């Protein structure tokens, strides 16, 4: 084998080694990017879910306080305890929204801000900081649940999940109220 053939062989081996190294490097980089993206998606899903749970807990605590204060529900706990429960739910909601602010996409954050305004109104009416009728109370809740659905839709878009929570396949639904509450609302 001549010197020229040996140089060609050595060159081919070097090119093969270099191309193997570059290919492995690019594949490893791609794999790391994918892992980072999916890791953040997992964190976003947790943050979005915790925020919606916390928002619903804040609403539920507001309902217990409001219905007790208005004589719509027999409550065996004192009003102070119900207020403390609402305050704890509000703190949990605040922490959950901070995670949305850190991890969420722009549209999800904006949808959260819109929901937060309604949650504040529900809280304020429950505690007596603002006044309102029972129909106004119910309308605040209807609006809150529409905004929760809008938040779900924004979160789904941010996560790349197909479909919507609202729309043609999922018609608008109303609050589920026991018959006694429906009679009081009219």
């Amino acid at each position: 084998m001549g010197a020229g053939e040996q140089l060609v062989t050595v060159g081919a081996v070097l090119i093969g080694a270099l191309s193997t190294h570059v290919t492995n490097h690019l594949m490893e980089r791609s794999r790391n990017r994918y892992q980072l993206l999916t890791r953040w998606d997992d964190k976003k899903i947790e943050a979005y879910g915790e925020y919606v749970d916390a928002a619903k807990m804040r609403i539920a605590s507001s309902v217990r306080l409001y219905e007790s204060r208005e004589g719509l529900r027999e409550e065996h706990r004192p009003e102070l305890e119900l207020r403390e429960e609402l305050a704890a739910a509000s703190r949990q909601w605040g922490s959950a929204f901070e995670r949305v602010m850190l991890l969420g996409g722009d549209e999800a954050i904006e949808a959260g801000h819109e929901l937060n305004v309604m949650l504040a109104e529900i809280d304020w009416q429950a505690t007596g900081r603002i006044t309102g009728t029972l129909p106004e109370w119910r309308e605040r809740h209807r609006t809150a649940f529409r905004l929760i659905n809008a938040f779900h839709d924004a979160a789904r878009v941010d996560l790349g999940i197909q479909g919507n929570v609202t729309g043609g396949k999922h018609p608008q639904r109303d609050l589920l109220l026991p018959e006694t509450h429906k009679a009081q609302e009219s």
Side-chain angles (χ1 to χ4, degrees):
M1 187 184 269
E5 291 176 335
Q6 287 179 352
L7 282 176
V8 169
T9 303
V10 169
V13 168
L14 288 175
I15 290 173
L18 182 62
S19 66
T20 299
H21 174 74
V22 168
T23 301
N24 286 340
H25 173 72
L26 292 175
M27 287 177 61
E28 185 68 20
R29 203 167 112 189
S30 176
R31 188 177 64 81
N32 286 339
R33 272 195 194 141
Y34 177 76
Q35 284 178 336
L36 275 176
L37 284 174
T38 57
R39 185 181 87 190
W40 287 115
D41 280 352
D42 290 345
K43 298 289 185 195
K44 281 182 178 184
I45 289 170
E46 287 176 26
Y48 291 155
E50 287 175 15
Y51 171 67
V52 170
D53 286 345
K56 289 179 179 180
M57 287 304 297
R58 188 174 178 192
I59 291 170
S61 295
S62 294
V63 166
R64 282 189 287 279
L65 176 59
Y66 177 81
E67 289 183 351
S68 174
R69 286 183 60 246
E70 296 295 317
L72 300 172
R73 167 195 297 237
E74 185 178 323
E75 183 62 56
H76 301 290
R77 295 180 294 166
E79 185 176 324
L80 180 60
E81 189 177 321
L82 295 172
R83 286 177 178 271
E84 289 170 355
E85 178 184 290
L86 177 55
S90 295
R91 284 189 299 276
Q92 183 179 356
W93 157 84
S95 294
F97 188 64
E98 286 301 316
R99 290 193 60 198
V100 169
M101 294 284 291
L102 288 170
L103 298 170
D106 291 343
E107 297 302 317
I109 291 170
E110 281 308 308
H113 281 302
E114 289 179 31
L115 174 57
N116 294 345
V117 169
M118 190 51 54
L119 293 175
E121 287 185 26
I122 289 170
D123 185 308
W124 296 336
Q125 188 171 351
T127 58
R129 287 183 227 152
I130 62 173
T131 59
T133 63
L134 183 59
E136 290 170 328
W137 171 253
R138 298 282 185 236
E139 189 52 38
R140 283 188 172 101
H141 282 77
R142 286 181 181 98
T143 302
F145 285 102
R146 280 192 299 271
L147 292 171
I148 287 171
N149 286 340
F151 178 82
H152 281 132
D153 282 339
R156 290 171 66 92
V157 167
D158 183 40
L159 293 165
I161 299 170
Q162 294 180 355
N164 314 27
V165 174
T166 57
K169 292 194 176 206
H170 304 285
Q172 190 71 22
R173 291 179 169 63
D174 202 3
L175 295 176
L176 299 175
L177 300 172
E179 288 302 318
T180 56
H181 288 193
K182 287 180 184 175
Q184 291 171 346
E185 188 172 343
S186 329

